[in-house]
Amino acid sequence: MASTALPQVFGVSRSLTGRAWRWRGGNMDLGQGYLADGEAIVRQILLARGVAAEDLQRHLSPTLRDFLPDPSEFNDMDIAADRIAQAVLSGERITIYGDYDVDGATSSALLIRLLRDLGVEAGYYIPDRLLEGYGPSGEALVKLAEAGSSLIVTVDCGAMAHEALAMASDAGVDVIVVDHHKCSPDLPRAAALVNPNRLDENDLAAAHGHLAAVGVAFLLAIALVRTLRAQGFFEDRKEPDLFALLDVVALGTVADVAALHGLNRAFVAQGLKVMARRDNIGMSALIDASRLKRAPVCSDLGFALGPRINAGGRVGESTLGVRLLTAMDPEEARSIAAQLSALNDERRAIEAEVQQAAEEQLAGQHNRAVHVLAARGWHPGVIGIVAGRIKEKTGKPSLVIALDKENGEGKGSGRSISGVDLGAAIIRAREEGLLVKGGGHAMAAGLTVLEDKLDAFADWLDDHLAGAVSRAGENSEMLLDLAVAPGGLTPELVEALDGGGPYGVGWPGPRVAVGPVRLVKCDIVGTDHVRLIASGDDGKSFKGIAFRSAESDMGQALLHASRGRRLWLAGRVKIDDWGSRPQAELHLEDAAFAD
């Protein structure tokens, strides 16, 4: 049954953000009774996310053993493993060609570390975002071949690099593509192309289309070790510990916003355990540079560790992430991690400038189904982040394009909303001649466009996506997992909810409704965050914060229009451990008047 047919929670048909409130699963209005059976909450969370009742145990504690497919099910996987095994056995020069983001850095680091354990010191090549852009460059591949590489493995790129791979093939170098981005029906010339999103994949492999490239690379690692084992390679040497690589798999998976269901949940759950051991010198330095005083949790990968790795590719040196994650000297690792932290601070400042300029263009696009914002001089390294911010602000797919100051060629990055496949639209626009390059997946895409085709491209997007955007808006809902009275907002509740994790895209963290409450205090903290203290009819109070919401309709209502009126508040429950004892607080996502 569609969620729109389910009863509204507390009768909220239009909240302060314009959404209807509905239960994600069954009614879990618990008041303060949740402590009676904390495990029941976790079971309900799993059921509400599509887990069958008979499959609950497997999902309660996701392991690789329960979710890992046979890598040989994937097209070209065995061909790729055989070719790399041949290179290992014959001592060929191997180069890993990775994308400049976290997924590319972790995928590259995984294969470099694996090959190092196999006795091969692989080279690596990470393109410069500003000078070379996304994807393999034919010129770069040919130069690597001329420098002695007989095998190149591209990771997190290459699925649509027809011209570049043709140049490499003509130069006599074998290229293996390990990717997860959308493919066209015609595949580029490569020794092997491993990608669960190939259009000719079988059902089992295609079911893993949500993997990040680093997840695909891990499957290739399994296939390679298995191939070498069959050839007697490990008769006189120790097999590499593949599980030790799961820390980078977890980081790349979360930072690339891959859907955290099925195998990805197992990757992240087990990867966090590996990360906590801090055996990886570079990862340990990254954790310290992020000023984490505890073992990382899933959210840290996306908000603390990942942005630092990304900063190198965005505003600094593109190789820093790979160098850090493959470092063998602790002092070198600490130096690189500190450099990445400084670059991340620089990235924040640049991002704020571009975002302000992009938001100034929004006023003239209120009738647009898809926002296309462009200007000369914007830093290409932050456009993806800004596109995400604009998407969050407007609730519409958004593309931010940095136009070159001299030739006007634009490098763009887009972020979409649920129900609108932006990647497919970008690929189609490229095929129709509106773009120089373009690709991606449903929720994110990248492109290159000529300035004189920018208006036509924006109009084309509006024509082709307006229906999907409209339908997505009509079905705008806030899905809730449970409701409690203010007194039920406790650290014990947070602990119980954490039992259903790790949470992320495709496996959303539980949303909790709390109330009814009155606001005791409400003000702005930082730049535009709304901070509040709420008190309920049960005499209990709690803290809450709504990030980047001071100028929104909800933020303004909380600050000015809600004094004395009772409210329902909804969001994620987190632990505030700044005081002498931990307390639960609400990270507010929505609110509605209760009377």
Side-chain angles (χ1 to χ4, degrees):
M1 181 183 297
S3 59
T4 51
L6 297 175
Q8 293 165 354
V9 178
F10 307 131
V12 177
S13 59
R14 186 172 179 82
S15 68
L16 294 180
T17 65
R19 290 180 282 186
W21 286 10
R22 303 187 189 278
W23 295 115
R24 193 189 308 274
N27 185 321
M28 289 190 71
D29 184 0
L30 304 179
Q32 299 181 60
Y34 72 92
L35 287 176
D37 189 359
E39 292 185 4
I41 290 180
V42 176
R43 290 195 295 271
Q44 180 59 36
I45 287 172
L46 299 182
L47 291 170
R49 281 150 184 77
V51 177
E54 62 273 15
D55 202 23
L56 282 173
Q57 194 58 45
R58 184 169 70 122
H59 288 266
L60 282 170
S61 182
T63 65
L64 293 191
R65 177 177 298 178
D66 287 336
F67 287 94
L68 200 66
D70 182 346
S72 295
E73 290 286 346
F74 293 74
N75 280 336
D76 284 5
M77 181 70 80
D78 290 338
I79 297 173
D82 288 341
R83 180 62 186 90
I84 299 174
Q86 175 188 334
V88 170
L89 292 169
S90 59
E92 295 180 55
R93 186 168 180 177
I94 304 172
T95 297
I96 310 301
Y97 192 117
D99 189 26
Y100 40 66
D101 68 358
V102 183
D103 195 15
T106 52
S107 300
S108 299
L110 184 150
L111 292 181
I112 291 168
R113 289 171 58 189
L114 171 64
L115 290 168
R116 181 185 294 163
D117 287 343
L118 297 173
V120 176
E121 282 297 329
Y124 59 84
Y125 187 94
I126 310 296
D128 184 283
R129 179 191 291 263
L130 302 184
L131 299 179
E132 298 176 84
Y134 171 76
S137 155
E139 292 79 7
L141 294 175
V142 171
K143 286 182 179 179
L144 290 172
E146 292 173 346
S149 292
S150 55
L151 177 62
I152 300 172
V153 183
T154 72
V155 287
D156 195 31
C157 59
M160 296 291 290
H162 294 76
E163 293 182 8
L165 296 188
M167 289 178 64
S169 178
D170 291 341
V173 62
D174 286 341
V175 178
I176 292 172
V177 175
V178 180
D179 204 352
H180 69 131
H181 293 100
K182 286 182 177 292
C183 295
S184 61
D186 295 326
L187 299 176
R189 284 158 55 188
L193 196 156
V194 183
N195 185 338
N197 288 306
R198 285 176 53 155
L199 298 180
D200 59 348
E201 268 297 3
N202 63 66
D203 291 343
L204 188 149
H208 291 84
H210 62 296
L211 295 181
V214 71
V216 182
F218 186 80
L219 295 178
L220 175 58
I222 295 173
L224 173 59
V225 169
R226 185 169 62 187
T227 298
L228 289 170
R229 184 189 303 124
Q231 297 181 19
F233 184 75
F234 301 112
E235 290 179 359
D236 57 354
R237 65 187 301 153
K238 184 179 179 182
E239 288 196 17
D241 180 7
L242 294 180
F243 276 72
L245 300 173
L246 288 175
D247 56 349
V248 295
V249 178
L251 176 57
T253 297
V254 174
D256 208 54
V257 202
L260 292 191
H261 57 79
L263 179 57
N264 278 345
R265 283 191 73 229
F267 278 151
V268 175
Q270 301 306 316
L272 287 171
K273 295 177 183 178
V274 175
M275 204 175 289
R277 300 203 306 254
R278 297 178 66 126
D279 294 335
N280 182 332
I281 292 170
M283 190 72 75
S284 180
L286 181 63
I287 293 169
D288 289 339
S290 301
R291 296 183 289 277
L292 294 177
K293 303 300 182 184
R294 47 164 173 72
V297 296
C298 188
S299 58
D300 294 326
L301 309 188
F303 293 104
L305 307 186
R308 284 171 166 80
I309 297 292
N310 254 336
R314 292 188 186 281
V315 298
E317 183 183 342
S318 60
T319 63
L320 287 174
V322 175
R323 287 170 53 197
L324 176 64
L325 296 175
T326 58
M328 302 179 70
D329 176 52
E331 188 56 41
E332 179 190 13
R334 282 191 290 270
S335 175
I336 297 174
Q339 187 176 354
L340 285 169
S341 283
L343 287 170
N344 194 47
D345 292 338
E346 180 182 343
R347 184 270 307 167
R348 287 194 183 103
I350 296 172
E351 174 194 329
E353 293 178 4
V354 175
Q355 183 172 342
Q356 180 178 351
E359 289 186 357
E360 290 173 356
Q361 293 187 18
L362 283 175
Q365 296 197 10
H366 60 277
N367 290 325
R368 285 282 192 186
V370 179
H371 294 298
V372 179
L373 311 167
R376 292 181 180 241
W378 284 354
H379 197 298
V382 301
I383 54 177
I385 302 174
V386 174
R389 300 277 192 230
I390 299 296
K391 183 262 296 186
E392 292 174 6
K393 182 182 182 71
T394 64
K396 296 179 179 180
S398 300
L399 294 103
V400 177
I401 299 170
L403 299 171
D404 187 272
K405 290 182 179 180
E406 296 180 1
N407 61 25
E409 184 176 83
K411 303 292 186 182
S413 186
R415 299 294 182 267
S416 194
I417 59 177
S418 179
V420 180
D421 191 335
L422 185 60
I426 294 299
I427 290 175
R428 185 173 174 187
R430 178 186 60 78
E431 292 172 344
E432 295 194 12
L434 291 167
L435 302 174
V436 177
K437 291 196 297 185
H441 46 80
M443 301 300 287
L447 59 91
T448 300
V449 62
L450 299 178
E451 187 172 9
D452 60 5
K453 290 192 175 182
L454 194 55
D455 290 342
F457 170 59
D459 291 341
W460 186 92
L461 280 178
D462 244 36
D463 291 342
H464 285 77
L465 295 181
V469 173
S470 176
R471 289 189 293 273
E474 292 171 358
N475 295 326
S476 179
E477 298 173 333
M478 166 67 75
L479 299 180
L480 297 165
D481 290 278
L482 69 157
V484 296
L489 210 65
T490 65
E492 291 79 13
L493 175 62
V494 178
E495 182 179 358
L497 295 175
D498 284 346
Y503 298 108
V505 173
W507 196 267
R511 286 198 184 103
V512 180
V514 189
V517 300
R518 287 185 170 85
L519 300 188
V520 176
K521 180 181 179 181
C522 188
D523 58 11
I524 298 175
V525 62
T527 305
D528 59 352
H529 311 312
V530 175
R531 176 179 58 183
L532 59 85
I533 297 176
S535 178
D537 296 341
D538 60 357
K540 302 294 184 179
S541 61
F542 61 90
K543 296 178 181 178
I545 186 167
F547 294 106
R548 296 186 297 274
S549 64
E551 299 301 320
S552 68
D553 291 343
M554 180 184 76
Q556 289 296 302
L558 293 173
L559 288 165
H560 302 298
S562 60
R563 301 302 168 87
R565 296 188 64 179
R566 296 199 309 165
L567 291 155
W568 295 104
L569 305 180
R572 322 276 186 181
V573 186
K574 305 292 183 180
I575 290 292
D576 174 15
D577 51 11
W578 283 100
S580 57
R581 62 186 182 88
Q583 293 183 317
E585 68 176 14
L586 187 67
H587 288 191
L588 202 66
E589 296 181 68
D590 206 355
F593 290 116
D595 50 29

PDB file of all heavy atoms in Angstrom, residues 159-189:
ATOM      1  N   ALA A 159      33.333   4.322 -17.231  1.00  0.00           N
ATOM      2  CA  ALA A 159      32.201   3.629 -17.838  1.00  0.00           C
ATOM      3  C   ALA A 159      31.710   4.308 -19.107  1.00  0.00           C
ATOM      4  O   ALA A 159      31.151   3.653 -19.988  1.00  0.00           O
ATOM      5  CB  ALA A 159      31.055   3.515 -16.834  1.00  0.00           C
ATOM      6  N   MET A 160      31.916   5.623 -19.200  1.00  0.00           N
ATOM      7  CA  MET A 160      31.457   6.365 -20.382  1.00  0.00           C
ATOM      8  C   MET A 160      32.619   6.984 -21.162  1.00  0.00           C
ATOM      9  O   MET A 160      32.400   7.834 -22.016  1.00  0.00           O
ATOM     10  CB  MET A 160      30.494   7.473 -19.934  1.00  0.00           C
ATOM     11  CG  MET A 160      29.215   6.969 -19.285  1.00  0.00           C
ATOM     12  SD  MET A 160      28.123   6.143 -20.459  1.00  0.00           S
ATOM     13  CE  MET A 160      27.594   7.531 -21.451  1.00  0.00           C
ATOM     14  N   ALA A 161      33.848   6.530 -20.886  1.00  0.00           N
ATOM     15  CA  ALA A 161      35.036   7.154 -21.489  1.00  0.00           C
ATOM     16  C   ALA A 161      35.393   6.478 -22.812  1.00  0.00           C
ATOM     17  O   ALA A 161      36.479   5.914 -22.969  1.00  0.00           O
ATOM     18  CB  ALA A 161      36.202   7.090 -20.514  1.00  0.00           C
ATOM     19  N   HIS A 162      34.507   6.534 -23.776  1.00  0.00           N
ATOM     20  CA  HIS A 162      34.707   5.830 -25.036  1.00  0.00           C
ATOM     21  C   HIS A 162      35.947   6.316 -25.781  1.00  0.00           C
ATOM     22  O   HIS A 162      36.785   5.507 -26.221  1.00  0.00           O
ATOM     23  CB  HIS A 162      33.466   5.990 -25.927  1.00  0.00           C
ATOM     24  CG  HIS A 162      32.240   5.329 -25.393  1.00  0.00           C
ATOM     25  ND1 HIS A 162      31.509   5.865 -24.350  1.00  0.00           N
ATOM     26  CD2 HIS A 162      31.609   4.171 -25.735  1.00  0.00           C
ATOM     27  CE1 HIS A 162      30.484   5.069 -24.086  1.00  0.00           C
ATOM     28  NE2 HIS A 162      30.518   4.037 -24.911  1.00  0.00           N
ATOM     29  N   GLU A 163      36.095   7.610 -25.944  1.00  0.00           N
ATOM     30  CA  GLU A 163      37.219   8.139 -26.719  1.00  0.00           C
ATOM     31  C   GLU A 163      38.543   7.880 -26.004  1.00  0.00           C
ATOM     32  O   GLU A 163      39.528   7.477 -26.638  1.00  0.00           O
ATOM     33  CB  GLU A 163      37.018   9.636 -26.963  1.00  0.00           C
ATOM     34  CG  GLU A 163      35.840   9.961 -27.876  1.00  0.00           C
ATOM     35  CD  GLU A 163      35.725  11.445 -28.129  1.00  0.00           C
ATOM     36  OE1 GLU A 163      36.641  12.200 -27.723  1.00  0.00           O
ATOM     37  OE2 GLU A 163      34.723  11.862 -28.737  1.00  0.00           O
ATOM     38  N   ALA A 164      38.595   8.122 -24.709  1.00  0.00           N
ATOM     39  CA  ALA A 164      39.845   7.948 -23.963  1.00  0.00           C
ATOM     40  C   ALA A 164      40.305   6.500 -23.992  1.00  0.00           C
ATOM     41  O   ALA A 164      41.494   6.206 -24.195  1.00  0.00           O
ATOM     42  CB  ALA A 164      39.653   8.420 -22.508  1.00  0.00           C
ATOM     43  N   LEU A 165      39.382   5.569 -23.813  1.00  0.00           N
ATOM     44  CA  LEU A 165      39.761   4.161 -23.793  1.00  0.00           C
ATOM     45  C   LEU A 165      40.123   3.668 -25.193  1.00  0.00           C
ATOM     46  O   LEU A 165      40.955   2.752 -25.341  1.00  0.00           O
ATOM     47  CB  LEU A 165      38.641   3.311 -23.191  1.00  0.00           C
ATOM     48  CG  LEU A 165      38.317   3.582 -21.714  1.00  0.00           C
ATOM     49  CD1 LEU A 165      37.333   2.550 -21.188  1.00  0.00           C
ATOM     50  CD2 LEU A 165      39.568   3.585 -20.859  1.00  0.00           C
ATOM     51  N   ALA A 166      39.536   4.257 -26.196  1.00  0.00           N
ATOM     52  CA  ALA A 166      39.918   3.899 -27.562  1.00  0.00           C
ATOM     53  C   ALA A 166      41.360   4.322 -27.829  1.00  0.00           C
ATOM     54  O   ALA A 166      42.134   3.591 -28.459  1.00  0.00           O
ATOM     55  CB  ALA A 166      38.975   4.556 -28.566  1.00  0.00           C
ATOM     56  N   MET A 167      41.743   5.494 -27.328  1.00  0.00           N
ATOM     57  CA  MET A 167      43.121   5.962 -27.472  1.00  0.00           C
ATOM     58  C   MET A 167      44.082   5.027 -26.757  1.00  0.00           C
ATOM     59  O   MET A 167      45.158   4.694 -27.275  1.00  0.00           O
ATOM     60  CB  MET A 167      43.257   7.385 -26.923  1.00  0.00           C
ATOM     61  CG  MET A 167      42.588   8.453 -27.759  1.00  0.00           C
ATOM     62  SD  MET A 167      42.728  10.109 -27.012  1.00  0.00           S
ATOM     63  CE  MET A 167      44.516  10.345 -27.062  1.00  0.00           C
ATOM     64  N   ALA A 168      43.703   4.577 -25.558  1.00  0.00           N
ATOM     65  CA  ALA A 168      44.559   3.669 -24.792  1.00  0.00           C
ATOM     66  C   ALA A 168      44.699   2.337 -25.521  1.00  0.00           C
ATOM     67  O   ALA A 168      45.798   1.764 -25.607  1.00  0.00           O
ATOM     68  CB  ALA A 168      43.986   3.463 -23.404  1.00  0.00           C
ATOM     69  N   SER A 169      43.601   1.848 -26.057  1.00  0.00           N
ATOM     70  CA  SER A 169      43.634   0.577 -26.783  1.00  0.00           C
ATOM     71  C   SER A 169      44.532   0.677 -28.009  1.00  0.00           C
ATOM     72  O   SER A 169      45.330  -0.228 -28.296  1.00  0.00           O
ATOM     73  CB  SER A 169      42.212   0.179 -27.188  1.00  0.00           C
ATOM     74  OG  SER A 169      42.215  -1.029 -27.927  1.00  0.00           O
ATOM     75  N   ASP A 170      44.429   1.792 -28.726  1.00  0.00           N
ATOM     76  CA  ASP A 170      45.261   1.988 -29.909  1.00  0.00           C
ATOM     77  C   ASP A 170      46.740   2.078 -29.543  1.00  0.00           C
ATOM     78  O   ASP A 170      47.611   1.738 -30.349  1.00  0.00           O
ATOM     79  CB  ASP A 170      44.842   3.257 -30.649  1.00  0.00           C
ATOM     80  CG  ASP A 170      43.471   3.125 -31.298  1.00  0.00           C
ATOM     81  OD1 ASP A 170      43.007   1.978 -31.481  1.00  0.00           O
ATOM     82  OD2 ASP A 170      42.856   4.169 -31.601  1.00  0.00           O
ATOM     83  N   ALA A 171      47.008   2.537 -28.294  1.00  0.00           N
ATOM     84  CA  ALA A 171      48.394   2.644 -27.828  1.00  0.00           C
ATOM     85  C   ALA A 171      48.926   1.319 -27.311  1.00  0.00           C
ATOM     86  O   ALA A 171      50.095   1.234 -26.905  1.00  0.00           O
ATOM     87  CB  ALA A 171      48.495   3.712 -26.741  1.00  0.00           C
ATOM     88  N   GLY A 172      48.076   0.290 -27.276  1.00  0.00           N
ATOM     89  CA  GLY A 172      48.522  -1.036 -26.881  1.00  0.00           C
ATOM     90  C   GLY A 172      48.521  -1.331 -25.401  1.00  0.00           C
ATOM     91  O   GLY A 172      49.121  -2.315 -24.960  1.00  0.00           O
ATOM     92  N   VAL A 173      47.832  -0.511 -24.608  1.00  0.00           N
ATOM     93  CA  VAL A 173      47.777  -0.753 -23.171  1.00  0.00           C
ATOM     94  C   VAL A 173      46.415  -1.337 -22.805  1.00  0.00           C
ATOM     95  O   VAL A 173      45.383  -0.929 -23.346  1.00  0.00           O
ATOM     96  CB  VAL A 173      48.037   0.552 -22.377  1.00  0.00           C
ATOM     97  CG1 VAL A 173      46.973   1.597 -22.658  1.00  0.00           C
ATOM     98  CG2 VAL A 173      48.115   0.269 -20.879  1.00  0.00           C
ATOM     99  N   ASP A 174      46.413  -2.312 -21.904  1.00  0.00           N
ATOM    100  CA  ASP A 174      45.155  -2.888 -21.426  1.00  0.00           C
ATOM    101  C   ASP A 174      44.581  -2.008 -20.319  1.00  0.00           C
ATOM    102  O   ASP A 174      45.302  -1.610 -19.393  1.00  0.00           O
ATOM    103  CB  ASP A 174      45.387  -4.296 -20.871  1.00  0.00           C
ATOM    104  CG  ASP A 174      45.622  -5.321 -21.978  1.00  0.00           C
ATOM    105  OD1 ASP A 174      45.252  -5.042 -23.130  1.00  0.00           O
ATOM    106  OD2 ASP A 174      46.176  -6.389 -21.676  1.00  0.00           O
ATOM    107  N   VAL A 175      43.295  -1.730 -20.405  1.00  0.00           N
ATOM    108  CA  VAL A 175      42.612  -0.948 -19.375  1.00  0.00           C
ATOM    109  C   VAL A 175      41.456  -1.762 -18.822  1.00  0.00           C
ATOM    110  O   VAL A 175      40.624  -2.280 -19.582  1.00  0.00           O
ATOM    111  CB  VAL A 175      42.081   0.395 -19.922  1.00  0.00           C
ATOM    112  CG1 VAL A 175      41.343   1.157 -18.816  1.00  0.00           C
ATOM    113  CG2 VAL A 175      43.228   1.239 -20.479  1.00  0.00           C
ATOM    114  N   ILE A 176      41.415  -1.876 -17.512  1.00  0.00           N
ATOM    115  CA  ILE A 176      40.291  -2.507 -16.814  1.00  0.00           C
ATOM    116  C   ILE A 176      39.507  -1.389 -16.132  1.00  0.00           C
ATOM    117  O   ILE A 176      40.077  -0.574 -15.406  1.00  0.00           O
ATOM    118  CB  ILE A 176      40.773  -3.533 -15.776  1.00  0.00           C
ATOM    119  CG1 ILE A 176      41.412  -4.734 -16.467  1.00  0.00           C
ATOM    120  CG2 ILE A 176      39.621  -3.987 -14.875  1.00  0.00           C
ATOM    121  CD1 ILE A 176      42.094  -5.704 -15.515  1.00  0.00           C
ATOM    122  N   VAL A 177      38.217  -1.339 -16.371  1.00  0.00           N
ATOM    123  CA  VAL A 177      37.352  -0.318 -15.781  1.00  0.00           C
ATOM    124  C   VAL A 177      36.601  -0.916 -14.600  1.00  0.00           C
ATOM    125  O   VAL A 177      35.929  -1.943 -14.741  1.00  0.00           O
ATOM    126  CB  VAL A 177      36.360   0.237 -16.824  1.00  0.00           C
ATOM    127  CG1 VAL A 177      35.388   1.219 -16.161  1.00  0.00           C
ATOM    128  CG2 VAL A 177      37.100   0.900 -17.979  1.00  0.00           C
ATOM    129  N   VAL A 178      36.712  -0.264 -13.438  1.00  0.00           N
ATOM    130  CA  VAL A 178      35.965  -0.650 -12.234  1.00  0.00           C
ATOM    131  C   VAL A 178      35.132   0.565 -11.850  1.00  0.00           C
ATOM    132  O   VAL A 178      35.663   1.560 -11.356  1.00  0.00           O
ATOM    133  CB  VAL A 178      36.907  -1.060 -11.087  1.00  0.00           C
ATOM    134  CG1 VAL A 178      36.101  -1.446  -9.847  1.00  0.00           C
ATOM    135  CG2 VAL A 178      37.815  -2.208 -11.522  1.00  0.00           C
ATOM    136  N   ASP A 179      33.839   0.496 -12.085  1.00  0.00           N
ATOM    137  CA  ASP A 179      33.007   1.690 -11.937  1.00  0.00           C
ATOM    138  C   ASP A 179      31.629   1.305 -11.417  1.00  0.00           C
ATOM    139  O   ASP A 179      31.292   0.118 -11.293  1.00  0.00           O
ATOM    140  CB  ASP A 179      32.891   2.391 -13.300  1.00  0.00           C
ATOM    141  CG  ASP A 179      32.583   3.884 -13.200  1.00  0.00           C
ATOM    142  OD1 ASP A 179      32.304   4.365 -12.087  1.00  0.00           O
ATOM    143  OD2 ASP A 179      32.629   4.571 -14.240  1.00  0.00           O
ATOM    144  N   HIS A 180      30.818   2.332 -11.138  1.00  0.00           N
ATOM    145  CA  HIS A 180      29.439   2.090 -10.705  1.00  0.00           C
ATOM    146  C   HIS A 180      28.477   3.087 -11.323  1.00  0.00           C
ATOM    147  O   HIS A 180      27.283   3.045 -11.040  1.00  0.00           O
ATOM    148  CB  HIS A 180      29.340   2.146  -9.174  1.00  0.00           C
ATOM    149  CG  HIS A 180      29.540   3.532  -8.602  1.00  0.00           C
ATOM    150  ND1 HIS A 180      28.692   4.084  -7.683  1.00  0.00           N
ATOM    151  CD2 HIS A 180      30.494   4.468  -8.833  1.00  0.00           C
ATOM    152  CE1 HIS A 180      29.111   5.296  -7.348  1.00  0.00           C
ATOM    153  NE2 HIS A 180      30.201   5.546  -8.037  1.00  0.00           N
ATOM    154  N   HIS A 181      28.981   3.992 -12.137  1.00  0.00           N
ATOM    155  CA  HIS A 181      28.123   4.988 -12.765  1.00  0.00           C
ATOM    156  C   HIS A 181      27.312   4.369 -13.910  1.00  0.00           C
ATOM    157  O   HIS A 181      27.631   3.295 -14.404  1.00  0.00           O
ATOM    158  CB  HIS A 181      28.968   6.148 -13.283  1.00  0.00           C
ATOM    159  CG  HIS A 181      29.620   6.943 -12.192  1.00  0.00           C
ATOM    160  ND1 HIS A 181      30.937   6.771 -11.835  1.00  0.00           N
ATOM    161  CD2 HIS A 181      29.117   7.888 -11.359  1.00  0.00           C
ATOM    162  CE1 HIS A 181      31.230   7.585 -10.833  1.00  0.00           C
ATOM    163  NE2 HIS A 181      30.143   8.276 -10.526  1.00  0.00           N
ATOM    164  N   LYS A 182      26.277   5.073 -14.301  1.00  0.00           N
ATOM    165  CA  LYS A 182      25.403   4.577 -15.358  1.00  0.00           C
ATOM    166  C   LYS A 182      26.180   4.366 -16.650  1.00  0.00           C
ATOM    167  O   LYS A 182      27.106   5.114 -16.971  1.00  0.00           O
ATOM    168  CB  LYS A 182      24.247   5.556 -15.588  1.00  0.00           C
ATOM    169  CG  LYS A 182      23.193   5.536 -14.493  1.00  0.00           C
ATOM    170  CD  LYS A 182      22.061   6.484 -14.820  1.00  0.00           C
ATOM    171  CE  LYS A 182      20.971   6.414 -13.753  1.00  0.00           C
ATOM    172  NZ  LYS A 182      20.265   5.128 -13.769  1.00  0.00           N
ATOM    173  N   CYS A 183      25.797   3.341 -17.381  1.00  0.00           N
ATOM    174  CA  CYS A 183      26.446   2.995 -18.651  1.00  0.00           C
ATOM    175  C   CYS A 183      25.485   3.234 -19.810  1.00  0.00           C
ATOM    176  O   CYS A 183      24.265   3.174 -19.642  1.00  0.00           O
ATOM    177  CB  CYS A 183      26.872   1.529 -18.662  1.00  0.00           C
ATOM    178  SG  CYS A 183      28.144   1.083 -17.472  1.00  0.00           S
ATOM    179  N   SER A 184      26.050   3.473 -20.983  1.00  0.00           N
ATOM    180  CA  SER A 184      25.248   3.507 -22.203  1.00  0.00           C
ATOM    181  C   SER A 184      25.211   2.100 -22.790  1.00  0.00           C
ATOM    182  O   SER A 184      25.991   1.232 -22.395  1.00  0.00           O
ATOM    183  CB  SER A 184      25.863   4.490 -23.200  1.00  0.00           C
ATOM    184  OG  SER A 184      27.168   4.073 -23.549  1.00  0.00           O
ATOM    185  N   PRO A 185      24.312   1.826 -23.726  1.00  0.00           N
ATOM    186  CA  PRO A 185      24.264   0.476 -24.318  1.00  0.00           C
ATOM    187  C   PRO A 185      25.574   0.059 -24.964  1.00  0.00           C
ATOM    188  O   PRO A 185      25.978  -1.101 -24.889  1.00  0.00           O
ATOM    189  CB  PRO A 185      23.142   0.600 -25.355  1.00  0.00           C
ATOM    190  CG  PRO A 185      22.279   1.713 -24.850  1.00  0.00           C
ATOM    191  CD  PRO A 185      23.219   2.685 -24.214  1.00  0.00           C
ATOM    192  N   ASP A 186      26.251   1.014 -25.605  1.00  0.00           N
ATOM    193  CA  ASP A 186      27.540   0.721 -26.226  1.00  0.00           C
ATOM    194  C   ASP A 186      28.646   0.952 -25.210  1.00  0.00           C
ATOM    195  O   ASP A 186      28.842   2.077 -24.740  1.00  0.00           O
ATOM    196  CB  ASP A 186      27.764   1.619 -27.453  1.00  0.00           C
ATOM    197  CG  ASP A 186      26.765   1.342 -28.555  1.00  0.00           C
ATOM    198  OD1 ASP A 186      26.364   0.169 -28.706  1.00  0.00           O
ATOM    199  OD2 ASP A 186      26.373   2.298 -29.243  1.00  0.00           O
ATOM    200  N   LEU A 187      29.375  -0.107 -24.868  1.00  0.00           N
ATOM    201  CA  LEU A 187      30.437  -0.003 -23.874  1.00  0.00           C
ATOM    202  C   LEU A 187      31.745   0.422 -24.522  1.00  0.00           C
ATOM    203  O   LEU A 187      32.009   0.107 -25.677  1.00  0.00           O
ATOM    204  CB  LEU A 187      30.625  -1.344 -23.169  1.00  0.00           C
ATOM    205  CG  LEU A 187      29.421  -1.876 -22.397  1.00  0.00           C
ATOM    206  CD1 LEU A 187      29.720  -3.255 -21.833  1.00  0.00           C
ATOM    207  CD2 LEU A 187      29.008  -0.915 -21.284  1.00  0.00           C
ATOM    208  N   PRO A 188      32.588   1.148 -23.806  1.00  0.00           N
ATOM    209  CA  PRO A 188      33.890   1.536 -24.356  1.00  0.00           C
ATOM    210  C   PRO A 188      34.811   0.328 -24.511  1.00  0.00           C
ATOM    211  O   PRO A 188      34.594  -0.724 -23.895  1.00  0.00           O
ATOM    212  CB  PRO A 188      34.428   2.516 -23.310  1.00  0.00           C
ATOM    213  CG  PRO A 188      33.736   2.148 -22.050  1.00  0.00           C
ATOM    214  CD  PRO A 188      32.375   1.685 -22.447  1.00  0.00           C
ATOM    215  N   ARG A 189      35.836   0.482 -25.332  1.00  0.00           N
ATOM    216  CA  ARG A 189      36.806  -0.598 -25.557  1.00  0.00           C
ATOM    217  C   ARG A 189      37.696  -0.731 -24.327  1.00  0.00           C
ATOM    218  O   ARG A 189      38.406   0.194 -23.953  1.00  0.00           O
ATOM    219  CB  ARG A 189      37.655  -0.284 -26.791  1.00  0.00           C
ATOM    220  CG  ARG A 189      36.924  -0.515 -28.092  1.00  0.00           C
ATOM    221  CD  ARG A 189      37.522   0.275 -29.234  1.00  0.00           C
ATOM    222  NE  ARG A 189      38.963   0.034 -29.416  1.00  0.00           N
ATOM    223  CZ  ARG A 189      39.714   0.744 -30.259  1.00  0.00           C
ATOM    224  NH1 ARG A 189      39.157   1.722 -30.966  1.00  0.00           N
ATOM    225  NH2 ARG A 189      40.992   0.469 -30.398  1.00  0.00           N
TER     226      ARG A 189
END
